Amino acid sequence: MKFAHALLSVGVTFAAYSVPAFAQDELFQLPEQCTLPAAASEMDHAPMGHGSHDGHAMDDEKDGSSEIAAHIQENMRRMMVTMPAMEEGIMQEDPDVAFACAMIAHHQGAIDMAQVLLKYGDDPEMIELAEEVIAAQAGEIEQMKTWLEDNVN
């Protein structure tokens, strides 16, 4: 009977903690403008570590070429560094340390994306936003690094 009670407790606890996690996954959706059309989704994801579909790549300028646009290549290259670092950071035993470590990599990814926008973008509003992102994220990275230095051996 104790075993059944313990098993029931574990099941209820798992359900209580997993439902919000699954709900969050279902709630997040990119804006429609951020999703790729079916043809573009066939792009070669090998540079991101996701394998190649059929060797097709996203059109550079929608002109039928098979080259991936330079800004996409640069963003992908930079993400290959920050994504694994974010995953490594989140695996820390202490939740505060895990948050700081993963967020440092996450914020660096935002800075990287903003730098790519500054290099390739041309919309004044997006350029201004990218500059603001760089300043804000750099400040928060420094705050988290200082916290780690002060709080973790």
Side-chain angles (χ1 to χ4, degrees):
M1 186 65 163
K2 286 184 179 181
F3 176 75
H5 185 263
L7 187 60
L8 179 62
S9 294
V10 169
V12 169
T13 301
F14 174 76
Y17 284 106
S18 64
V19 169
F22 292 134
Q24 177 65 28
D25 289 343
E26 291 177 20
L27 292 177
F28 178 78
Q29 292 183 340
L30 282 172
E32 181 180 325
Q33 298 86 344
C34 298
T35 58
L36 294 174
S41 68
E42 293 297 316
M43 100 179 240
D44 183 359
H45 294 282
M48 287 293 296
H50 299 292
S52 175
H53 288 277
D54 60 5
H56 293 281
M58 181 178 288
D59 292 342
D60 186 27
E61 296 179 23
K62 298 183 182 179
D63 63 359
S65 71
S66 62
E67 294 296 317
I68 297 175
H71 73 279
I72 296 172
Q73 291 179 31
E74 190 164 344
N75 271 319
M76 290 172 66
R77 181 183 57 74
R78 289 172 179 231
M79 285 176 58
M80 295 288 291
V81 175
T82 55
M83 292 293 282
M86 186 169 45
E87 292 171 2
E88 180 180 356
I90 203 68
M91 298 302 292
Q92 299 298 313
E93 192 71 27
D94 181 296
D96 297 316
V97 174
F99 174 79
C101 292
M103 288 302 288
I104 289 169
H106 178 71
H107 281 22
Q108 184 59 53
I111 290 170
D112 290 347
M113 291 171 60
Q115 289 171 336
V116 171
L117 184 273
L118 292 178
K119 183 175 178 180
Y120 295 100
D122 56 12
D123 183 274
E125 184 177 355
M126 288 294 101
I127 290 170
E128 181 179 346
L129 180 60
E131 291 168 343
E132 292 172 7
V133 164
I134 291 169
Q137 303 292 304
E140 291 179 10
I141 287 173
E142 285 309 311
Q143 180 181 359
M144 289 181 280
K145 284 182 175 180
T146 299
W147 182 88
L148 287 168
E149 289 171 6
D150 292 346
N151 294 281
V152 181
N153 301 349

